[in-house]
Amino acid sequence: MKANKIQSNKSTAIKHALSSLEWQDLHQLSRGQIAYNVILPYPFLLLSWWFASQSWYVLACGASYFFFAAAFRQAHDGYHHSLGTSKHTTTGILLLLSVLLMTGLHSIRATHMEHHRNPLGDSDIEGGLAKLSWWQALLGGVTYRLDIYRQGLRLSSRRNRRLAWLEFASIILVVMAAIGLSIVNAPTAALLHCCTAALLHCWRKCWFITY
């Protein structure tokens, strides 16, 4: 009886504590919060390009790292339509980020949503990373990127698949343009950005495991 009374008191205390909390995560975003979500990555991108234009390549890579961290945060919120923007605006943001991040975000969106629907299941390619060691993740970064694209295309709706192929085509055009510019001139900010993107995508597989 005493144990039941203690348990009942605990339950009552927990319910009272929860009822007194003011939940913020499901509230409608203010205009300032929406603007912050949309603008956040791009000052780092501009800073990276400016550093590269001054031939300060180490600083440019550092700024690119912060851009990638902020941009993937934005992309993740875009997957869940939690940026506070309309559906069409969110789609446009993901298309733009796909080119800047050099990765097909609509393909990854399909695998990420599957990760939430079926965590650690056979179709959850993101959850499968937890079964690998950090060095296996690092060495397999490139193959993982290709695997997640293939899985994303398989899981995608027709509309999402069209958007994914549009992103892949745009990325190829940007890479070709960056290489062409580097042949004509000295190494450009665009080429440096592409190289940094390739390295960060390989290492990002390890980040999934630690995250």
Side-chain angles (χ1 to χ4, degrees):
M1 292 291 293
K2 186 177 180 179
N4 290 338
K5 185 176 181 180
I6 293 174
Q7 183 63 34
S8 177
N9 291 338
K10 285 184 178 179
S11 299
T12 302
I14 291 172
K15 289 179 181 179
H16 177 72
L18 290 175
S19 64
S20 65
L21 290 175
E22 183 181 356
W23 299 99
Q24 297 290 339
D25 58 330
L26 299 180
H27 282 195
Q28 185 174 0
L29 297 177
S30 67
R31 291 183 178 180
Q33 290 172 321
I34 294 172
Y36 174 81
N37 284 339
V38 172
I39 295 171
L40 179 62
Y42 303 104
F44 297 110
L45 178 64
L46 295 176
L47 187 62
S48 172
W49 287 350
W50 184 78
F51 282 147
S53 70
Q54 303 300 311
S55 300
W56 299 341
Y57 296 120
V58 174
L59 292 176
C61 289
S64 289
Y65 169 83
F66 285 107
F67 164 71
F68 271 73
F72 273 115
R73 171 195 180 277
Q74 186 180 78
H76 178 267
D77 287 349
Y79 297 158
H80 294 281
H81 293 287
S82 58
L83 288 171
T85 57
S86 68
K87 183 177 180 180
H88 292 300
T89 301
T90 299
T91 297
I93 289 173
L94 290 177
L95 287 170
L96 173 63
L97 285 177
S98 292
V99 175
L100 295 176
L101 292 171
M102 311 300 294
T103 191
L105 291 178
H106 274 89
S107 180
I108 297 175
R109 179 182 183 274
T111 60
H112 184 69
M113 300 311 292
E114 182 65 19
H115 167 69
H116 285 286
R117 281 191 296 265
N118 185 26
L120 298 179
D122 292 337
S123 59
D124 177 18
I125 191 170
E126 289 186 15
L129 294 173
K131 302 173 184 177
L132 302 178
S133 64
W134 69 268
W135 63 268
Q136 289 175 318
L138 183 62
L139 293 177
V142 176
T143 58
Y144 167 74
R145 183 60 44 181
L146 298 177
D147 290 341
I148 203 170
Y149 288 156
R150 284 193 292 265
Q151 179 75 339
L153 290 172
R154 282 195 294 266
L155 295 171
S156 289
S157 64
R158 182 177 298 179
R159 176 181 180 275
N160 200 75
R161 193 177 297 116
R162 286 200 299 265
L163 290 170
W165 282 115
L166 175 61
E167 290 167 349
F168 294 144
S170 300
I171 291 168
I172 291 172
L173 290 176
V174 169
V175 171
M176 291 174 62
I179 294 173
L181 288 173
S182 69
I183 293 175
V184 176
N185 301 312
T188 62
L191 183 61
L192 178 66
H193 183 82
C194 292
C195 294
T196 305
L199 290 173
L200 288 177
H201 286 320
C202 292
W203 293 339
R204 187 168 173 259
K205 191 177 182 185
C206 294
W207 301 345
F208 269 122
I209 295 174
T210 55
Y211 185 74

